[in-house]
Amino acid sequence: MSDILSTTLSITGGFWLSLTLIAYAAALVVNKYCKGHPLAHPLITTSAIISLALLVSQVSVTNYQTAASFLHWLLGPATVALALPIYRQWHVLKHYGWRLLLSIVIGGVIAPITAWLGLWVSSASTALQMSMLVKSITTPLAMETASQINGIPALAAVFVIMTGIAGAIMSTWVFQLCKVNDTQAQGIALGTVAHAVGTAKALQLGDDVAAMATLGLCVNGIVTAIVLPVFFIGA
């Protein structure tokens, strides 16, 4: 009976697509109820709901990905849409020029390299190391970049989510410890290192922080997606 149910659900793309959208809508409500707490981020809640549904129905992740492939296709337009916040913050980028770009590049290099070194020292597999290198950019870019450098896209997405949550939770403490009081610097740090989840955190700190976080998110994501394949393709 369970085999019949598993087969039926695995080929019903509309069911899993609808369930994912409903789960995400519910996750937004939970996040709002929890006042935007990072641990109640919609990505976490949605993943938990879908994982539970897959476990109960005994449908494999591969079958789920096939059934809900339309959502994966949407990652392409979502990536292209990053051009919009870049355009909106173009005046800021022109004002600060190379100083802003340099700070984003430095942050975008230090964050993944330190994590990658831990895996390299422990002799982790090459695929795992490559997946870790994209941990600080937004999910659409991370998954595509990971596939180009022989990483594991699904695992890269996990690293991205974990990085964003950790950054959102620890950012306030780190800013206090390092005495970073400038809101623009806080925004750049959140967007560069903690990507979209960090940007969501920045929205709670003010519009100016969020604007800089958006800029950091976009610039670091684009630069990383271009540079990593150049150095590590075929690794």
Side-chain angles (χ1 to χ4, degrees):
M1 181 65 181
S2 61
D3 291 339
I4 297 176
L5 178 61
S6 176
T7 302
T8 302
L9 292 179
S10 65
I11 62 175
T12 309
F15 171 82
W16 287 108
L17 184 60
S18 299
L19 180 61
T20 303
L21 295 176
I22 293 171
Y24 185 72
L28 291 175
V29 175
V30 171
N31 182 257
K32 184 177 180 179
Y33 178 80
C34 297
K35 299 180 180 179
H37 193 282
L39 291 178
H41 193 279
L43 288 177
I44 300 176
T45 307
T46 304
S47 298
I49 295 174
I50 296 301
S51 296
L52 180 60
L54 293 176
L55 180 63
V56 171
S57 63
Q58 297 183 5
V59 172
S60 69
V61 174
T62 301
N63 286 336
Y64 166 76
Q65 290 177 325
T66 300
S69 58
F70 178 68
L71 291 178
H72 188 271
W73 177 85
L74 288 175
L75 291 178
T79 302
V80 176
L82 289 177
L84 183 58
I86 282 286
Y87 173 76
R88 288 176 175 173
Q89 300 302 321
W90 185 250
H91 63 286
V92 179
L93 188 59
K94 288 195 299 182
H95 175 72
Y96 289 102
W98 67 268
R99 294 168 296 174
L100 180 59
L101 289 175
L102 182 62
S103 63
I104 294 174
V105 170
I106 291 176
V109 170
I110 293 177
I113 288 297
T114 50
W116 171 79
L117 280 174
L119 294 177
W120 181 75
V121 170
S122 60
S123 300
S125 67
T126 301
L128 188 62
Q129 294 180 37
M130 295 299 102
S131 301
M132 180 60 76
L133 284 174
V134 299
K135 75 179 189 66
S136 290
I137 61 177
T138 192
T139 305
L141 290 174
M143 295 182 69
E144 180 61 29
T145 304
S147 66
Q148 293 183 27
I149 60 176
N150 293 332
I152 306 172
L155 187 58
V158 174
F159 288 153
V160 167
I161 294 172
M162 293 175 62
T163 298
I165 294 171
I169 293 175
M170 299 180 63
S171 59
T172 301
W173 176 76
V174 172
F175 291 151
Q176 292 176 349
L177 179 66
C178 299
K179 298 181 179 180
V180 180
N181 300 316
D182 185 85
T183 56
Q184 293 183 330
Q186 292 177 355
I188 286 296
L190 283 168
T192 300
V193 178
H195 48 80
V197 181
T199 302
K201 170 69 174 181
L203 287 170
Q204 302 174 13
L205 303 179
D207 292 340
D208 53 343
V209 183
M212 298 303 286
T214 302
L215 192 58
L217 158 72
C218 295
V219 173
N220 183 47
I222 293 171
V223 171
T224 301
I226 293 174
V227 172
L228 282 183
V230 173
F231 285 95
F232 292 101
I233 194 166

